[in-house]
Amino acid sequence: MSFVEYGDTIKDGDTAIVFLGHESMFPVKVQHGTVTQTKYGVIRHSTDLIGKKYGSKVTCSKGGWVFILHPTPELWTMNLPHRTQILYSTDISIITMMLELKPGSIVCESGTGSGSLSHALIRTVAPTGHLYTVEFHQQRADKAREEFREHGVEHLVTVTNQDVCKNGFGVSNIADAVFLDIPSPWEAIGHAKSALKPEGGRICSFSPCIEQVQRTCLAMEEFGFTEINTLEILLRVYNVRTISLQIPDLGEAAEDNSSTGFDSSNPSNQGSPCANLQQGTVQFKSGVPLREMVGHTGYLTFATKS
């Protein structure tokens, strides 16, 4: 099992996603002799999972059923264990596009955090690219290495435990893009410039506060970055549901049928809309916004190395 390569069957040691519904799913590490409890009953890994195809419907001990899905960066973002605040697919999608990432790209990231963005970056640059990710916290760096190894992507990523603001990324003049998600990104702009290739590399900084953005933009300008721009992504979700509305009673047809040439006694007019209009209901699909929506997550500042 690998997050960048699809496998047909579930194997011992795989990470799989137990899907109970769109709002209810969780990851599980498949192991011989292990059981997983769900609200529908027990899943026995040896008999219910190992050897089955990903996407299979698995019946639990109480008679309910779940789907077992192959992991992807998108599913992992929704189910990963949170060690820090994470980036979600809304911001991740614009980051990978605006940094112009593709297979073979070299990317530097700080900090690694819970690895939500890291998995998406690895999938984007695979199979020949590489991610250099820096994490200040020792335990988080060790856990990230462990997860990358379990997820079959350790050959595509190098995890370094150090302070990027003081020591940089550990590489020079090779990166196609740099991503910063740290409290004081303006202190790492110089190291980001050193890590980027000589010309044309892209940088992105994620900050929740506008004061951080202001200082970062000033630092980018000081170090000669161009095309500096900041944006904010707001997601508004709609529920598609069936709505029933009563057909309005518009009253009788035109009072003077003779003036309009309408003759209700004429058999040819019996099928007209006015003749068949009856009080009732009509059903149709409608998109209804959620009562609550995810608001501000952070500001994304992009720039290009001149």
Side-chain angles (χ1 to χ4, degrees), residues 29 73 82 93 116 147 152 182 184 220 232 257 292:
K29 185 173 182 179
H82 285 229
S93 59
S116 173
E147 286 181 349
I182 55 178
S184 52
M220 288 179 174
E232 179 185 30
N257 290 334
E292 296 181 356

Side-chain angles (χ1 to χ4, degrees), residues 76-126:
W76 186 245
T77 290
M78 298 171 63
N79 295 282
L80 58 78
H82 285 229
R83 301 183 288 274
T84 59
Q85 291 290 333
I86 69 169
L87 291 177
Y88 289 92
S89 298
T90 307
D91 290 316
I92 291 173
S93 59
I94 196 71
I95 290 168
T96 55
M97 184 188 75
M98 294 292 286
L99 289 182
E100 302 173 3
L101 301 182
K102 59 187 181 300
S105 295
I106 306 296
V107 186
C108 292
E109 174 197 28
S110 183
T112 312
S114 301
S116 173
L117 176 64
S118 303
H119 282 79
L121 295 177
I122 291 169
R123 196 262 308 272
T124 303
V125 304

Side-chain angles (χ1 to χ4, degrees), residues 3 50 105 131 187 207:
F3 272 56
I50 297 176
S105 295
L131 171 67
E187 296 181 2
S207 297

Side-chain angles (χ1 to χ4, degrees), residues 278-295:
Q278 297 179 354
Q279 196 73 14
T281 60
V282 61
Q283 291 186 336
F284 61 93
K285 296 290 185 182
S286 177
V288 181
L290 302 180
R291 292 186 177 181
E292 296 181 356
M293 64 171 279
V294 177

